[in-house]
Amino acid sequence: MESANGAATGSAVTWRGRRGRRRALVALTTPAGLRTATAALVLAIVVFGAFAIGAARHRQDAADTVGLDATPLVVGAEELYPARADADATGSTAFLAAGAEPPALHARYLDDVDRAGRLLVDIAAQDRLSPDARDAVAELAAQLPRYARLVEAARTNSRLDNPVGAAYLRRASDLMTDEMLPTASGIYEEAAHRLDRGYRAGTSGAPIIGVLAAAALALALLVAVQSFVARRTRRIVNLGLLGATALVVALLGWAVTSFSAQQQALTRSERDGSDLLLALSTMRILALRSLSDENLHLIERGTVSSYRDDFADVTASISGPLMERARRSAPDEATRTEIGRIEGHHRNFVSVHDRIARLFGDDDEYAAAVDVAVTDLAAAAATVDEALGTEITAARTRLDDGADDARQRLRTLPVVLLIGIAAAIAAAVVGLQLRLREYR
Amino acid sequence: MNGGRAYRMGIALLFTGAVGTSGACSWTSPSSDALDSLDELPQTPTTAPTTTTAGAVTTTISASEAACEADGMGVKSYRPDGPPAPPGDLPAGSTMAALRDAGQIRVGVDENTLGLSSRNARTGDIEGFEVDLAREIAERIFGPDPPPEALDLVPVDTDKRQVVEDGDVDMTISAVSMSCDRWEQVAFSAEYYTADQQFLVRSDSPIRALEDLTGRTVCVTAGSSSEGILESSVPAAVLHPVDSRTECLVALQEGEVDAYFGHDTFLYGMTVQDPTMKVVPGLLAAEATVSHYGIAIAHGRDDLVRFVNAVLEELVADGTWGRLHDELQTDLPDLPDAPPPTPQYRD
C-alpha cells in the first residue's frame, strides 16, 4: 500500500520478489531517496561512459597499431632484408674476375646496400619501437658498412689476383649469415608479432563485455529509480529520467554498431591482407636466401655442403607450407591466379638450379655452371622477386584499406559518447531535481 | 498502469534489441594462426660452425716419440728400389698400377697460398710449386701430357692429413711438416722442401725481439706445427688459431692480431699481396723453426711412397726441381734461396 508523498512516513521501497512476496530494500524517505538516486545514477552513467570511452580508446589504439605502426614495420623489415644485398654481392664478387664484371651487377649491389641503409634509418625513426628492436636495428646499421667494406676488399684483392680475396669474401658471407641475417629476421619477426597483437587487441571481446555490463547496470538503475519515483510521486512519466534512459540506450546502440563495424573491417584487413602479406614476405626472404646459397655453393666449389642443404630446406618451405598458406589466404580468384604464376616462376628458378647442379656436380663443368648462375639463375630469381613484390604491395593495400576503415569507424565515437553522457547526466539530474524541489 | 513495470519492460526490450543487434552483426574473430608463416624462417645460420682443431697439437712428447725424434726418424722415408718404372711398366697389383687403371689420382692441395698452391682467379685453375710436383708425379703414372681429369686437385685445409687417412685423396702436397707424431697418422715421402717458420707483422709493428711478443696476439693455423712451436717457445703470447692460413693475413690487415707465425713460403706470398706487411726473421732459433715438407700418403701404400721418392730423386737429378724452385722464387721474390733437400731413408 503506497502512501502519497510519503515524506514523513518513510515507507519502504518495495518490489515483488520471487513468489510474489514483498521484499524491502531499505526504508527511505522520498527526498533522501531522490538524492541517493541522483548520486547513484550519475555514478552509473559515468561508469558506463568510462567503459565505453575506454573500450573505444583501446580498440582505436589497436587499429592505429595495425595501420600506422606494425604494418610499415613489417614491410620495412622485409624490404631491408639484407639478403638482397648479399645475393648480389656474392653473385658479383665471385665471378668478377672470370671475365669483365657486368657493371649493372655491381651497381645493383651498391644500390641494395644503399637502400638497406636508408630503410634502417626509416625503421629506427619509428618512435614506438621496442628496446629490443631498437638494439637490433642499431646492430644492423653498424654491420652493414662492415659487410660492404669486406666485399670491397674481396673485390679489390681478386682484381689483383690475390688469393686473400677469397678469405675476405668468406668473412663477408660469414658476417652476413651468422649475424646480419638472424638480426634482420628478428626484426621482421617482432614486427609480425606486433601486427598480430594489434589484431588481437582490436578484436578482443573483453572491452565490449565491460561496456555491456556497465550499460546494463546503468539501465537497471534507471529503471529502478523511475519505478521508485513513479511510486512515490504521482507522476508516472519523468521526462528527465526518460530522456537519460533513451540517451543511454542510444549511446549503447551507437557504440555497439561502431565496434562491430570496426571489428569487421579489422578482420577483413587481416584475412584479405595481413595473412597473405606475411606468407609472401617470408617467401621473398627465403627466395633471396636460396639464391645466396646457390652462389656461395659455387664460390666454395661444392666443398661446403651446408649451402646445398639449406637451399633444399628453404625451397621445400617455399613450395610447400608457404605456397599453401598463400593460396588459402588469397581473397579472390585474381590473386589466386597470380599466386599460381608465382609458383610457376619459382619452379622455373628451381629447374635452373637443377641445371647448375647437373653441370657442376655431375659433369664437372664449373665454368658453364657459373655462367648459368650469373645469367639464367639471377634472372629467374629476379622474376620471382618482382612477382612477389607486386603481390605483396597489393596485399598491403588491402591490409591498409581495412585498417583505415577500422580507424575511421571509431573516430567520432569518443566525442559522441562524451556529449551523450553529459546530456544523459544532465537529464537525469534535472529530472530528479524537479521532483526534489517539491519537497522543500 | 504500473509505471515501473512499463519502464522495466521497455528497457528490457531495448536492451535486448541492442545486444541482439550486436550479435547479429558478425563479430567475426580473425584467424589465430596468421603467424605460422614465420615458422618457416630458418633459425640456424647456413654455415656449419667452424671447428678449430686445436686439440691435434701435442705439447708433451712421449718417451717413444722423444727417442724417435732423437733418431731423426720423423724425416726418414722408405727407400725406393731404383728409378721410377715407366707408366707402361708399373708393377702389376701395385698402387700405381691401380691408379693408372682407374684413370685418376686425387691430390690434396691448398688453394690460397700464393706460390705454393693457389687458384688463378681468371682461369680457375690451381697453380704453384706443389701443383707442379703433383703434375710430375701424375705424368710418371699416366704418361706425358695426361688428360686433365687424370689429376684431380682437391682443395684441403686443416684436414690435409685427415683426408689422406680417410682415403678421400691419394696424397696431400700442402706444406705438411713431417714429424714422428704425424707419422703415426700417415706415411711421408722424402723431404721435398725445407721451409722456415717466421713472424709476419705490420710494417709499423714494434716487435723486434721475442720479449716483444709477451701478451701480444699471434695468429696460427689450428693444428699446425707452428701452433705447437709457439705454444712451447713463446707461452707468454696469446694464440689466435684459425682454420685457413689466409685468414691470418686478413686478421693482420684488420688489426685483430699483432703477428702471424707461419712458414716463410706463406709469409713471402703475403708480402707480395700486401707490401705493408713485413717478415721478422730470427726471433726463434733455426732448429726450432725449421719445417721439413713431405708428401702425405696413407699407411699401407708403401709402394706408392717408394715410387714418389724415386720421382723426387729424378726431379732433383735432372734439374726439374731447381727449375720449379726458380719459378717459385719468381712468384715470391723475397723467398730465400734453398738447395734441394737431401732425402733420408730408414733402412
Side-chain angles (χ1 to χ4, degrees):
Chain A
M1 175 70 167
E2 288 148 5
S3 66
N5 291 12
T9 62
S11 47
V13 177
T14 60
W15 68 94
R16 287 192 190 280
R18 242 176 291 164
R19 301 190 188 129
R21 292 233 224 99
R22 291 178 156 234
R23 295 183 183 273
L25 172 59
V26 67
L28 274 177
T29 60
T30 308
L34 287 176
R35 280 191 214 99
T36 315
T38 314
L41 272 180
V42 169
L43 185 63
I45 296 175
V46 164
V47 164
F48 163 63
F51 267 84
I53 294 181
R57 276 247 56 83
H58 182 257
R59 287 220 164 176
Q60 183 74 45
D61 274 350
D64 281 347
T65 299
V66 167
L68 305 176
D69 267 0
T71 304
L73 192 59
V74 164
V75 175
E78 185 267 321
E79 279 181 1
L80 91 81
Y81 202 70
R84 186 180 308 277
D86 178 54
D88 283 334
T90 53
S92 71
T93 309
F95 314 119
L96 124 93
E101 178 197 18
L105 207 52
H106 186 60
R108 198 166 75 205
Y109 159 68
L110 290 176
D111 273 348
D112 287 332
V113 171
D114 190 46
R115 186 158 55 91
R118 278 184 284 113
L119 278 166
L120 276 173
V121 169
D122 284 346
I123 292 178
Q126 278 206 7
D127 50 19
R128 294 213 250 180
L129 274 182
S130 75
D132 278 345
R134 208 174 284 283
D135 286 344
V137 169
E139 214 179 299
L140 258 185
Q143 288 163 345
L144 195 60
R146 262 176 63 204
Y147 174 76
R149 194 177 54 79
L150 288 171
V151 168
E152 284 308 308
R155 289 184 76 239
T156 311
N157 276 296
S158 280
R159 277 245 170 87
L160 300 172
D161 283 335
N162 290 340
V164 74
Y168 271 103
L169 187 65
R170 209 166 292 126
R171 245 196 205 210
S173 73
D174 282 353
L175 175 65
M176 177 60 72
T177 43
D178 294 346
E179 293 182 39
M180 295 177 69
L181 294 188
T183 305
S185 258
I187 296 177
Y188 173 71
E189 282 186 62
E190 172 174 323
H193 275 100
R194 176 188 292 208
L195 187 62
D196 190 59
R197 276 198 302 272
Y199 280 120
R200 298 294 136 259
T203 54
S204 74
I208 309 303
I209 304 220
V211 171
L212 288 175
L217 178 65
L219 286 172
L221 207 52
L222 277 163
V223 166
V225 167
Q226 281 169 101
S227 84
F228 172 76
V229 167
R231 244 178 273 242
R232 293 299 184 84
T233 72
R234 255 184 264 115
R235 255 71 62 91
I236 291 168
V237 172
N238 180 310
L239 281 174
L241 290 177
L242 199 59
T245 311
L247 275 166
V248 169
V249 167
L251 287 174
L252 179 66
W254 186 305
V256 161
T257 315
S258 298
F259 286 135
S260 163
Q262 171 261 338
Q263 180 154 331
Q264 258 187 296
L266 210 57
T267 306
R268 193 178 71 236
S269 160
E270 179 169 24
R271 200 188 52 227
D272 295 349
S274 148
D275 274 1
L276 186 59
L277 178 71
L278 285 182
L280 294 178
S281 299
T282 310
M283 224 189 272
R284 186 147 83 163
I285 286 174
L286 291 183
L288 282 168
R289 185 181 167 112
S290 69
L291 178 61
S292 293
D293 280 340
E294 187 71 15
N295 287 338
L296 288 166
H297 176 83
L298 284 173
I299 290 170
E300 298 290 352
R301 294 177 182 249
T303 54
V304 180
S305 62
S306 50
Y307 293 124
R308 251 309 139 78
D309 296 338
D310 192 69
F311 184 96
D313 288 341
V314 157
T315 301
S317 288
I318 294 177
S319 50
L322 286 176
M323 201 63 77
E324 167 65 35
R325 262 216 90 80
R327 262 196 299 269
R328 260 191 300 126
S329 313
D332 51 37
E333 198 52 50
T335 311
R336 247 189 302 277
T337 313
E338 275 317 303
I339 291 173
R341 216 163 279 155
I342 290 175
E343 195 172 5
H345 290 317
H346 184 248
R347 260 201 299 271
N348 178 46
F349 171 76
V350 175
S351 75
V352 177
H353 152 88
D354 289 340
R355 198 157 28 113
I356 292 175
R358 270 195 308 277
L359 279 173
F360 180 41
D362 301 339
D363 304 341
D364 210 23
E365 296 276 333
Y366 183 69
V370 164
D371 199 52
V372 173
V374 176
T375 53
D376 295 345
L377 190 70
T383 310
V384 172
D385 196 66
E386 250 177 74
L388 280 170
T390 310
E391 279 319 298
I392 286 174
T393 308
R396 199 225 166 137
T397 307
R398 285 194 296 273
L399 188 164
D400 280 342
D401 281 348
D404 280 344
D405 194 13
R407 282 166 46 228
Q408 289 311 310
R409 300 287 177 174
L410 295 184
R411 214 165 31 90
T412 55
L413 188 56
V415 171
V416 166
L417 280 170
L418 270 174
I419 297 175
I421 293 296
I425 289 174
V429 166
V430 162
L432 285 172
Q433 282 295 91
L434 285 174
R435 291 293 80 76
L436 210 49
R437 258 203 256 123
E438 291 163 7
Y439 288 86
R440 299 231 180 88
Chain B
M1 131 167 130
N2 188 332
R5 240 299 191 78
Y7 274 121
R8 283 196 288 275
M9 274 173 44
I11 299 308
L13 265 167
L14 283 163
F15 189 74
T16 317
V19 176
T21 320
S22 67
C25 305
S26 46
W27 291 94
T28 48
S29 194
S31 58
S32 53
D33 61 348
L35 293 176
D36 282 358
S37 300
L38 297 180
D39 290 341
E40 301 300 321
L41 286 174
Q43 297 307 316
T44 49
T46 23
T47 48
T50 48
T51 46
T52 46
T53 53
V57 178
T58 50
T59 44
T60 49
I61 305 181
S62 64
S64 58
E65 237 177 83
C68 169
E69 291 291 355
D71 287 338
M73 291 293 285
V75 297
K76 291 189 181 167
S77 184
Y78 303 129
R79 185 177 292 278
D81 305 320
D89 220 1
L90 294 168
S94 68
T95 313
M96 299 78 71
L99 288 171
R100 179 202 58 204
D101 296 339
Q104 187 182 69
I105 184 174
R106 295 160 305 162
V107 181
V109 291
D110 196 76
E111 56 174 348
N112 289 315
T113 308
L114 197 61
L116 283 187
S117 175
S118 72
R119 197 177 288 281
N120 183 316
R122 259 170 251 288
T123 66
D125 297 330
I126 308 182
E127 343 176 292
F129 177 75
E130 289 172 330
V131 174
D132 294 337
L133 285 179
R135 218 175 290 284
E136 294 289 335
I137 294 170
E139 285 187 358
R140 301 296 193 284
I141 293 178
F142 299 104
D145 218 8
E149 56 272 14
L151 177 60
D152 183 20
L153 297 171
V154 179
V156 294
D157 236 323
T158 48
D159 56 347
K160 51 194 176 178
R161 291 186 311 278
Q162 194 62 44
V163 290
V164 170
E165 205 184 9
D166 294 343
D168 295 333
V169 299
D170 299 303
M171 61 179 65
T172 290
I173 312 180
S174 179
V176 187
S177 309
M178 301 190 280
S179 70
C180 284
D181 145 60
R182 287 167 175 198
W183 263 95
E184 291 176 19
Q185 191 185 10
V186 294
F188 285 103
S189 70
E191 188 179 358
Y192 68 86
Y193 189 85
T194 315
D196 202 14
Q197 300 186 52
Q198 308 287 5
F199 287 92
L200 182 74
V201 298
R202 290 180 288 273
S203 51
D204 59 356
S205 170
I207 294 174
R208 296 196 208 303
L210 216 52
E211 311 80 77
D212 296 334
L213 288 168
T214 309
R216 300 233 182 231
T217 316
V218 183
C219 190
V220 285
T221 315
S224 65
S225 54
S226 315
E227 189 176 20
I229 294 171
L230 208 55
E231 268 181 359
S232 47
S233 308
V234 196
V238 179
L239 258 53
H240 179 86
V242 297
D243 279 344
S244 162
R245 39 186 102 120
T246 345
E247 281 175 44
C248 278
L249 177 57
V250 173
L252 263 177
Q253 288 174 328
E254 295 287 293
E256 292 162 9
V257 297
D258 300 306
Y260 165 36
F261 185 60
H263 300 189
D264 56 358
T265 42
F266 312 155
L267 302 193
Y268 286 111
M270 289 175 183
T271 54
V272 168
Q273 295 178 65
D274 186 347
T276 68
M277 299 288 163
K278 69 178 184 200
V279 178
V280 183
L283 290 189
L284 291 169
E287 314 84 68
T289 60
V290 71
S291 188
H292 306 282
Y293 288 178
I295 299 176
I297 297 172
H299 278 303
R301 289 180 142 196
D302 299 0
D303 54 352
L304 184 58
V305 177
R306 292 183 208 278
F307 183 81
V308 167
N309 289 339
V311 173
L312 287 175
E313 277 192 8
E314 201 173 80
L315 291 176
V316 170
D318 68 12
T320 310
W321 191 98
R323 181 173 54 79
L324 296 179
H325 183 244
D326 286 344
E327 282 175 29
L328 176 62
Q329 283 191 301
T330 310
D331 289 336
L332 312 181
D334 295 324
L335 188 67
D337 282 335
T342 315
Q344 297 182 60
Y345 302 115
R346 44 178 80 189
D347 50 16

